[in-house]
Amino acid sequence: MKLGTLCYIEKDNKILLLHRTKKENDIHEGKWIGVGGKFEQGETPEECVIREVKEETGLELRNPVLRGIMTFPKFKDNEDWYVFAFAAKDFTGKLIECDEGKLKWIAREEVLQMPTWEGDLIFLKWILEDKPFFTAKFSYKDKKLISHNVIFY
């Protein structure tokens, strides 16, 4: 099992997305996704998202808000992924070049039109609409979403 974080940062009615184009053998290649990454030993979800956002973007988050927890069974390398989804509006710093792709501020109304995973379009819509905290499961086969379910709290 793998633990990870994902963050959608908002500024001036735009959302920061990462266009994954630089990593070799990247399961996310060509997709526009939020920023985040894997937990390091002993980290809380908040510590992980703050560290990952700083490493990938140069931005220092203050008060990221946990919006949901997602399960992705056998998503990559036949392992289950558990991802803590955050939203953030409070940060300092300037964007840096990311070694995983190109960072770009996308207008809120265009975010759901960007090429990404089918499941991302579903949960990102919940985040953009400020739906209540959620837990969700997204099942993929051959990179296609085959089922999903959600519980809002």
Side-chain angles (χ1 to χ4, degrees):
M1 149 179 37
K2 298 285 186 184
L3 298 174
T5 58
L6 192 55
C7 190
Y8 293 92
I9 304 166
E10 185 169 355
K11 175 182 96 169
D12 300 328
N13 219 27
K14 295 179 180 178
I15 306 293
L16 184 63
L17 294 180
L18 172 59
H19 188 204
R20 294 285 288 257
T21 58
K22 294 183 181 179
K23 285 177 76 173
E24 260 185 61
N25 303 314
D26 186 1
I27 193 168
H28 303 292
E29 185 174 357
K31 301 204 181 320
W32 291 81
I33 62 174
V35 293
K38 294 181 227 158
F39 279 61
E40 290 184 354
Q41 189 167 351
E43 280 186 321
T44 66
E46 292 79 10
E47 290 168 337
C48 178
V49 77
I50 289 168
R51 177 186 52 77
E52 284 286 348
V53 166
K54 174 78 171 160
E55 289 174 4
E56 291 183 4
T57 70
L59 302 178
E60 294 185 43
L61 295 182
R62 293 187 298 242
N63 306 311
V65 177
L66 182 61
R67 299 299 310 281
I69 301 172
M70 299 173 290
T71 305
F72 296 89
K74 299 182 181 182
F75 184 72
K76 183 179 175 194
D77 301 327
N78 212 30
E79 290 188 289
D80 292 352
W81 278 77
Y82 294 86
V83 177
F84 294 77
F86 287 87
K89 293 181 180 179
D90 189 6
F91 61 89
T92 60
K94 287 183 167 183
L95 284 182
I96 60 171
E97 188 171 322
C98 180
D99 62 2
E100 295 181 5
K102 180 181 167 92
L103 294 163
K104 186 173 180 183
W105 293 101
I106 306 292
R108 249 177 164 271
E109 62 273 7
E110 296 174 14
V111 168
L112 296 176
Q113 298 166 21
M114 305 306 287
T116 193
W117 295 99
E118 294 169 80
D120 287 30
L121 294 174
I122 295 168
F123 70 75
L124 183 51
K125 184 174 186 229
W126 299 335
I127 291 171
L128 292 172
E129 292 176 351
D130 204 24
K131 296 273 191 195
F133 182 86
F134 64 89
T135 60
K137 180 177 179 179
F138 294 90
S139 298
Y140 284 85
K141 184 174 183 176
D142 300 324
K143 297 185 179 183
K144 291 285 186 192
L145 184 66
I146 57 172
S147 69
H148 77 280
N149 58 48
V150 63
I151 299 171
F152 291 104
Y153 292 88

